Amino acid sequence: MAPAITPVQTSANFPPQTTVVIIGGGIVGLTAALTLAERNIPVVVLEKGRIAGEQSSRNLGWVRKTSRLAEDIPLAQAADRLWAEMPARVGSDVGYRQAGIMFAARTEAQMAMYEGWLKSVSSLHLDSHLLSAQQIAARVPGGSSQWTGGIFTPSDGRAEPTLASSAIARAAMAKGAVIVEHCAVRTLSMTAGRVSGVVTERGEIRCEQVLLAGGIWSRRLLGNLGISLPVLPLVCSVLRTKPMDGPTDIAVGAPDFSFRKHIDGGFIVTQRGALDASLTLDHFLLGTRYLPQLRAQRDFLRIKIGTPFVRDLMLARRWQASSRSPFERVRTMDPPVNAGLNQEALTNLRAAWPVFSQAEIAEAWAGTIDVTPDSNPVIGPVAKLPGLTLATGFSGHGFGTSPAAGQLAADLVCGDAPLIDPAPYRFDRF
């Protein structure tokens, strides 16, 4: 299952050439396309399935700075401003609400993590501040848990994944961008040592620059070109309740659940303390790079091996431009929902705020997150393939930072002054 996104009528035409081709119709690629179109730069977005069909519509919708690495916060700060401007920019509501995000701690050790993070970002002048148990009760009344304390960032917020990508796509097309769905890119064309186009299942498009914003699929496309991008998949299961009265408009994260208000009056809920790690070949090929994360988060991962391993092995890692690619065999990554994790989340939430005992599940879905070894994305050029820029590996943070990430990628493609310092996101750090 997947949440239903607002439909968009994309192009039936297949242009033979353009200035920039964007591979991937997720929210980062779409925001980059909007930025380029606003600068009157011809751009074509190619999506193997439907726009925002994968993680761009399946994420939690959080827009946060809290608990991000210090070097990643300038991107999140820029995203705050751009999210606030987005409704006027695209001419429709994207569900953005700057209602704040609060994290609650049960133990002194958990509280110490928030205290340490706050000290680490003290020079960035955030509005984050620590909360006592009494302050948590005042902000989110009706609770029954004994919290040690928490942290709250009033300027954090949320937006709606099922609205935002569609609105951005429509605005980009209105300003001249071309978006083609059901058109997989098989490989890149090279001329005199640099990128000169893309080869798709429908033919070739000549271009001057390519932006790869393919999410979890970026590693496979690059691998066929001899470039290793270290990303591994994790799966998050999510549920949405039917409309109900809730305790707060603030998004709340606890060690073993999270919730935030949905635009229809229900709540988006997940088991914040667990993600599924269904092993694939890449886990064995790249695993040593993730050892620090594994040591720190072993209890966070539900590791298993099964059908995803076999399905991954069946997808080609090398193919010719004339051959059917893996992206044509799997148009949409649609992992099964872990109903047990969703039930854990709901049980834990009901124990903490009994008002959720009345919650009824309206729908549930799962999405695949592409995680890098340091949990920061890659936004920048690939030295071995001049003319190729990456915007991928967002590690579960892509939706929240997407307006800034897409603009930064567009800046780098154009050679313009970047929105923020891109150094933390350079590809060669790996």
Side-chain angles (χ1 to χ4, degrees):
M1 284 186 66
I5 66 170
T6 303
V8 176
Q9 184 62 52
T10 54
S11 177
N13 297 325
F14 184 78
Q17 63 182 34
T18 188
T19 300
V20 179
V21 166
I22 297 175
I23 304 173
I27 193 166
V28 173
L30 293 170
T31 304
L34 174 61
T35 303
L36 292 168
E38 290 170 338
R39 297 175 185 178
N40 296 313
I41 296 172
V43 57
V44 175
V45 179
L46 299 174
E47 166 54 47
K48 62 181 172 42
R50 297 297 303 271
I51 62 166
E54 296 179 317
Q55 193 59 13
S56 290
S57 62
R58 298 166 187 246
N59 64 86
L60 303 179
W62 290 36
V63 179
R64 68 172 173 87
K65 300 172 290 297
T66 313
S67 291
R68 290 195 186 280
L69 296 172
E71 64 265 26
D72 195 36
I73 287 177
L75 189 71
Q77 289 174 313
D80 283 349
R81 173 178 59 82
L82 292 168
W83 272 118
E85 297 170 357
M86 194 64 75
R89 184 179 179 189
V90 302
S92 62
D93 185 14
V94 296
Y96 179 63
R97 307 289 186 268
Q98 200 170 43
I101 293 178
M102 183 188 82
F103 291 94
R106 285 200 175 95
T107 67
E108 292 292 348
Q110 292 166 0
M111 196 65 195
M113 291 176 57
Y114 294 129
E115 292 168 352
W117 174 80
L118 197 56
K119 290 178 182 177
S120 74
V121 298
S122 59
S123 64
L124 298 174
H125 308 294
L126 301 179
D127 59 343
S128 305
H129 55 273
L130 301 176
L131 299 176
S132 66
Q134 293 77 18
Q135 289 170 321
I136 291 176
R139 290 189 179 278
V140 191
S144 57
S145 286
Q146 297 298 313
W147 303 108
T148 300
I151 190 168
F152 179 54
T153 305
S155 61
D156 283 349
R158 64 181 189 267
E160 293 300 338
T162 55
L163 299 179
S165 294
S166 299
I168 292 167
R170 287 193 301 270
M173 289 187 292
K175 295 175 183 181
V178 175
I179 300 175
V180 183
E181 294 178 302
H182 302 294
C183 184
V185 172
R186 292 176 171 175
T187 191
L188 305 182
S189 300
M190 305 294 293
T191 302
R194 68 171 289 114
V195 174
S196 59
V198 297
V199 179
T200 82
E201 62 184 297
R202 292 173 59 181
E204 185 175 7
I205 300 179
R206 308 294 292 180
C207 63
E208 298 173 15
Q209 297 281 339
V210 171
L211 174 64
L212 175 57
I216 196 64
W217 298 99
S218 298
R219 172 172 166 78
R220 200 169 292 261
L221 180 66
L222 289 170
N224 192 45
L225 297 165
I227 302 294
S228 177
L229 170 69
V231 292
L232 289 178
L234 292 176
V235 175
C236 179
S237 291
V238 187
L239 67 90
R240 178 176 63 83
T241 76
K242 294 179 180 179
M244 57 171 285
D245 292 331
T248 183
D249 201 37
I250 297 169
V252 177
D256 52 11
F257 66 84
S258 73
F259 67 91
R260 64 95 173 165
K261 192 78 170 180
H262 186 264
I263 199 168
D264 76 347
F267 287 84
I268 303 294
V269 179
T270 192
Q271 213 301 30
R272 186 169 168 265
L275 290 173
D276 282 318
S278 297
L279 296 183
T280 65
L281 178 60
D282 281 341
H283 287 87
F284 297 96
L285 296 175
L286 299 173
T288 56
R289 299 194 185 196
Y290 289 80
L291 286 178
Q293 286 194 31
L294 183 60
R295 293 189 189 102
Q297 301 179 345
R298 174 62 185 86
D299 294 339
F300 179 74
L301 301 175
R302 305 290 174 92
I303 298 173
K304 54 188 176 182
I305 189 166
T307 302
F309 186 89
V310 177
R311 288 177 177 169
D312 178 74
L313 282 181
M314 293 174 64
L315 285 179
R317 289 176 178 262
R318 294 289 186 271
W319 61 91
Q320 301 297 317
S322 58
S323 304
R324 189 181 180 206
S325 69
F327 321 117
E328 295 151 74
R329 297 181 184 276
V330 182
R331 298 285 177 177
T332 301
M333 183 76 77
D334 190 20
V337 175
N338 187 328
L341 283 185
N342 279 350
Q343 187 57 54
E344 283 181 28
L346 205 50
T347 298
N348 298 337
L349 174 55
R350 287 167 170 167
W353 274 280
V355 67
F356 285 98
S357 295
Q358 64 181 288
E360 299 180 65
I361 298 176
E363 62 177 342
W365 63 86
T368 303
I369 301 167
D370 51 333
V371 180
T372 65
D374 61 7
S375 295
N376 274 344
V378 179
I379 309 174
V382 179
K384 292 183 179 179
L385 294 173
L388 175 64
T389 301
L390 305 183
T392 195
F394 282 89
S395 305
H397 309 152
F399 181 82
T401 58
S402 59
Q407 183 168 324
L408 176 61
D411 292 340
L412 297 174
V413 166
C414 297
D416 292 345
L419 175 68
I420 54 104
D421 181 5
Y425 311 115
R426 67 190 189 281
F427 176 56
D428 64 8
R429 75 184 190 270
F430 296 122

